[in-house]
Amino acid sequence: MRWPRSSAVVIAAVIAVSGVVGLAGCSQGNVVSPASSPTATEPSGTSPTAAATAAATRAAPKFEPEGSAAANKRFFDSVNSALITANPSAGGKDVIDALAAAGFDKANMQVTPDKTTIGRAADSVLFSVRIGADCLLGQFSGSTYTSSVQAALKSGACLVGQTRPINW
């Protein structure tokens, strides 16, 4: 169908007006500039020093001897991450020694062997610390570290399978 010339002009005008109206929403008045973006404010009564102290406390977790496994997970992770960063080839003994030096009870720890039954380096080392009815579980494989908090097994152990004696 062929539109009469006057209709084509009207349609073109409608399209042009629609485009201008649509672009009007993009005008400078509707752009949020960095200066107008919301900023975090300290709650009233909180001094900058108190806020800095709170931030430092969050940044540096501490061992809680009477705390649960969940309460000590951040500290457990910080000890293990620091060890692995300093010594990417750390073995099970290194992990246990670092955890014991940090305050965890060596009597409540388990670790898997560093070597397979045919004498090759293990792909990963698993280790744990039992705290009450729960366990902090860690796994180190290459440069990858993971951890979790899980309930201890009915036997009281944290790891399934063969673990190595911690007799040093």
Side-chain angles (χ1 to χ4, degrees), residues 37 57 63 66 75 78 87-88 110 125 138 144 162-164:
S37 44
T57 302
F63 180 58
E66 303 302 316
F75 182 69
S78 71
N87 181 6
Q110 290 181 283
V125 174
T144 303
Q162 182 182 1
T163 59
R164 115 187 220 194

Side-chain angles (χ1 to χ4, degrees), residues 48-167:
T49 304
T53 302
T57 302
R58 283 189 307 272
K62 294 191 179 356
F63 180 58
E64 297 180 32
E66 303 302 316
S68 66
N72 280 297
K73 184 178 182 300
R74 248 181 96 228
F75 182 69
F76 178 80
D77 289 341
S78 71
V79 170
N80 294 321
S81 295
L83 170 67
I84 293 162
T85 299
N87 181 6
S89 61
K93 182 180 184 310
D94 300 315
V95 172
I96 297 304
D97 288 347
L99 290 169
F104 290 100
D105 185 0
K106 195 186 277 191
N108 291 324
M109 295 184 201
Q110 290 181 283
V111 65
T112 60
D114 294 338
K115 302 267 185 206
T116 66
T117 56
I118 59 171
R120 298 195 189 265
D123 291 335
S124 64
V125 174
L126 284 74
F127 47 93
S128 66
V129 178
R130 185 177 39 82
I131 299 177
D134 292 323
C135 300
L136 289 165
L137 303 174
Q139 181 174 356
F140 175 52
S141 177
S143 62
T144 303
Y145 167 74
T146 57
S147 70
S148 68
V149 176
Q150 301 294 324
L153 302 169
K154 287 183 182 180
S155 67
C158 294
L159 300 179
V160 175
Q162 182 182 1
T163 59
R164 115 187 220 194
I166 300 174
N167 54 8

